[in-house]
Amino acid sequence: MMPGYSSSGLKRAGERQGLKDRGASCGPESSSHPGEVELHAWLEGIPQVQCWVPSTTLELHPEKNAVEPKNSPKEFYPYGFQGHKGTTEVQAVEAGDDSVISVRGRVPGRYLLEECCVDGCIKAVGQADVIRNQFSGATFERIIDCSGKCVLPGLVDAHTHPVWAGDRVHEFAMKLAGASYMEIHQAGGGIHFTVEHTRKATEEELFNTFKDRLERMRRAGSTLVECKSGYGLNLETELKMLRVIERAKQSMDIGISSTYCGAHSVPKGKTATEATDDIINNHLPKLKELKLSGEIHVNNIDVFCEKGVFDLESTRRILQAGKDIGLQINFHGDELHPMKSAELGAELGARAISHLEEVSDEGITAMARAKCAAVLLPTTAYMLRLKQPQARKMLEEGVIVALGSDFNPNAYCFSMPMVMHLACVNMKMSMNEALAAATINAAYALGKSDTHGSIETGKQGDLVIINSSRWEHLIYQFGGHEALIDYVIVKGKVVYQNESCGTMSSY
């Protein structure tokens, strides 16, 4: 079982206890005792989230010119520390007859040095002196000084619709005037409007716009993105979209989890039953053939399980047929109406279910038991003025909560930092929970938490470096990520560097 984090983001589902259970708390900086500096640590319970640990202190040793733990962290946290924030600067100064140590900047619990080789994976995470000794003879193409900065795992966007043609800005005005999502859809707008334009677009046109969108997501810190088809609804256009996604997989420095979403809507001129039969008898066999030939590699299958679209039985048939050819189940459910999608997903062994604004209490319990991730989409509830998903109840019940941007013509947002902010304000998630939901838990929702979503030895070297001594600014500054994000690194390669970060204030 790959790791996912639940119970307020503070413990591994069904396994280790996290920070809150060990009595530590997150809070503002306070003064330490003379000769001691309180430790800032990233704990395993909240992967790569910096928290205050008041019970663990560092002793200052003038004779050694060093800072050492007064108490072993293992006494408090037997499962150890992961990650790092910044570097520690220590210098001896004279103060009368006594020599003392002055510590400048904030002291991290761990120092991270990573060596991303050909495979692009993190080679080591540990104490500074241990790492330096381990790699004393190594040479590096590049060394980045992260003094005064924060290093975080690359963000993971667990739900997007980024391949399409046709602008729907006019529908925003309709929504502001009071039109509902389904009213626009039934009038020929919404998905059908985009389907019409996507069918007419060439593969090259779709790829060029898709590439631009991925680059904007990457600049906002996303290093792994789930990407759906679903604006074709016929086999020809769905395959065209999946080829575009495959091309980006092969040519761009960003992780992609591809999803077949041919059941995004019922095509004009067909019933839901006819569309279901077409998908099962024609679309999925073709996907299996292309997968075996190596032409297209699809990871997930999605269905829009909704009143007036695909009912529960049609959804079951399509998802099971997709699972039978090796696709992970990751679908839209319980968004506009209670459909018992969560119960169905738990029964079928779904990896994740998205939306869930109308999920039942029984569905939440079933998802927690099945370790089925809930991919919550704050932008959708915000844009469509829907009631917010029950994030707090899900967390308390032990559901693995992830986040996604739901980028599409209806919810035009590239930024996971803004998604995290909305999750905190509108869904009452803590900043710790939101960061876990946008990293390790989002990776879990895509079946990739063994390789992505946290800073651990052996995992892929996907990192975001922000121009702040406190990671919380990435969430706190609504829309401020353009000045905050200094570097984005994918598989050990710098794929984005913000040249203005060194000259402008991030505050």
Side-chain angles (χ1 to χ4, degrees):
M1 176 64 67
M2 289 175 287
Y5 291 80
S6 60
S7 185
S8 300
L10 296 177
K11 65 181 178 180
R12 182 168 295 188
E15 297 181 0
R16 302 170 178 172
Q17 295 300 304
L19 176 64
K20 184 177 289 185
D21 300 316
R22 296 200 180 110
S25 62
C26 301
E29 198 163 326
S30 61
S31 299
S32 56
H33 294 95
E36 295 181 347
V37 175
E38 290 182 328
L39 176 68
H40 296 259
W42 281 358
L43 308 178
E44 184 173 282
I46 313 177
Q48 283 64 64
V49 178
Q50 177 219 20
C51 280
W52 191 251
V53 188
S55 59
T56 306
T57 61
L58 299 180
E59 287 187 327
L60 310 181
H61 297 276
E63 72 281 2
K64 297 181 182 178
N65 197 42
V67 180
E68 296 179 354
K70 180 178 180 181
N71 307 102
S72 168
K74 290 186 179 180
E75 294 175 20
F76 302 100
Y77 309 106
Y79 297 114
F81 290 74
Q82 300 181 72
H84 113 294
K85 188 187 77 63
T87 59
T88 304
E89 298 179 288
V90 182
Q91 72 177 144
V93 298
E94 294 297 318
D97 295 329
D98 299 318
S99 180
V100 298
I101 295 295
S102 171
V103 179
R104 297 177 298 162
R106 303 179 71 189
V107 182
R110 299 286 273 183
Y111 178 94
L112 165 74
L113 174 116
E114 58 161 343
E115 183 209 355
C116 293
C117 294
V118 176
D119 60 0
C121 293
I122 296 170
K123 297 304 175 187
V125 180
Q127 297 286 359
D129 55 350
V130 175
I131 295 297
R132 286 170 180 152
N133 289 336
Q134 182 180 348
F135 293 93
S136 59
T139 57
F140 300 91
E141 291 181 10
R142 186 171 188 177
I143 296 174
I144 299 174
D145 183 358
C146 295
S147 301
K149 302 179 187 294
C150 288
V151 178
L152 300 169
L155 303 179
V156 180
D157 191 340
H159 184 122
T160 78
H161 302 259
V163 183
W164 47 269
D167 192 329
R168 275 162 54 187
V169 67
H170 60 283
E171 290 183 6
F172 186 56
M174 295 169 67
K175 294 188 193 81
L176 295 178
S180 71
Y181 176 87
M182 289 306 295
E183 286 170 344
I184 294 171
H185 178 79
Q186 290 163 359
I191 291 172
H192 289 304
F193 179 89
T194 304
V195 166
E196 179 183 348
H197 288 78
T198 304
R199 286 179 176 179
K200 293 176 182 177
T202 66
E203 187 171 318
E204 193 66 23
E205 288 169 340
L206 291 176
F207 177 75
N208 287 335
T209 54
F210 177 43
K211 179 181 176 182
D212 290 343
R213 291 165 189 158
L214 284 178
E215 287 174 348
R216 291 178 70 177
M217 291 176 184
R218 195 168 58 186
R219 290 198 297 271
S222 293
T223 57
L224 173 61
V225 180
E226 185 266 0
C227 300
K228 303 179 190 294
S229 67
Y231 291 120
L233 307 185
N234 60 28
L235 180 58
E236 177 186 359
T237 310
E238 289 295 312
L239 291 180
K240 177 172 66 176
M241 296 178 71
L242 291 171
R243 283 195 300 270
V244 165
I245 295 171
E246 185 69 28
R247 183 174 166 187
K249 273 189 184 182
Q250 302 302 323
S251 64
M252 295 189 66
D253 291 316
I254 188 169
I256 292 175
S257 178
S258 63
T259 300
Y260 165 75
C261 189
H264 197 193
S265 183
V266 177
K268 290 181 178 179
K270 286 187 177 181
T271 65
T273 300
E274 290 170 338
T276 299
D277 291 339
D278 184 36
I279 288 168
I280 293 171
N281 297 327
N282 298 305
H283 291 215
L284 294 180
K286 186 63 175 179
L287 286 185
K288 182 179 179 180
E289 176 190 324
L290 293 173
K291 178 181 178 181
L292 291 173
S293 69
E295 293 180 49
I296 293 177
H297 300 86
V298 180
N299 305 106
N300 316 292
I301 185 163
D302 192 352
V303 176
F304 187 16
C305 182
E306 183 53 69
K307 183 179 178 180
V309 192
F310 289 93
D311 63 17
L312 205 63
E313 185 54 35
S314 295
T315 299
R316 177 193 297 275
R317 291 180 60 205
I318 295 170
L319 293 178
Q320 185 61 56
K323 184 177 180 180
D324 290 344
I325 65 168
L327 302 180
Q328 293 183 133
I329 297 175
N330 190 331
F331 71 110
H332 292 60
D334 295 325
E335 178 185 358
L336 305 175
H337 299 89
M339 300 290 294
K340 294 190 180 296
S341 301
E343 293 91 328
L344 175 64
E347 176 192 337
L348 295 179
R351 167 59 59 172
I353 305 171
S354 293
H355 286 290
L356 299 167
E357 288 86 353
E358 298 288 345
V359 68
S360 67
D361 290 347
E362 294 77 12
I364 290 173
T365 301
M367 289 181 68
R369 287 175 179 166
K371 293 183 171 59
C372 174
V375 181
L376 305 185
L377 309 171
T379 52
T380 309
Y382 168 73
M383 298 264 191
L384 297 182
R385 297 170 174 169
L386 304 176
K387 75 177 186 181
Q388 297 293 325
Q390 300 178 68
R392 289 256 50 88
K393 182 173 178 59
M394 293 179 193
L395 289 165
E396 289 160 6
E397 292 282 336
V399 176
I400 298 167
V401 172
L403 291 172
S405 69
D406 196 18
F407 172 78
N408 71 79
N410 177 61
Y412 207 100
C413 176
F414 296 106
S415 169
M416 285 303 291
M418 294 180 74
V419 168
M420 289 189 285
H421 180 102
L422 289 172
C424 292
V425 173
N426 292 338
M427 300 195 313
K428 298 180 173 61
M429 293 177 71
S430 71
M431 287 189 285
N432 294 341
E433 291 164 347
L435 182 60
T439 52
I440 188 70
N441 288 4
Y444 175 91
L446 303 179
K448 291 183 178 291
S449 58
D450 57 342
T451 54
H452 295 71
S454 59
I455 301 174
E456 297 181 73
T457 301
K459 284 196 171 185
Q460 188 164 301
D462 292 358
L463 306 169
V464 175
I465 301 172
I466 67 168
N467 188 32
S468 172
S469 61
R470 293 188 64 118
W471 67 267
E472 296 96 331
H473 275 277
L474 190 61
I475 299 174
Y476 159 66
Q477 293 189 26
F478 189 52
H481 58 273
E482 289 185 2
L484 275 168
I485 295 176
D486 203 349
Y487 295 88
V488 178
I489 298 170
V490 175
K491 297 181 75 172
K493 177 182 178 182
V494 175
V495 297
Y496 171 67
Q497 179 176 355
N498 189 345
E499 300 293 346
S500 64
C501 257
T503 60
M504 64 189 293
S505 170
S506 59
Y507 302 106

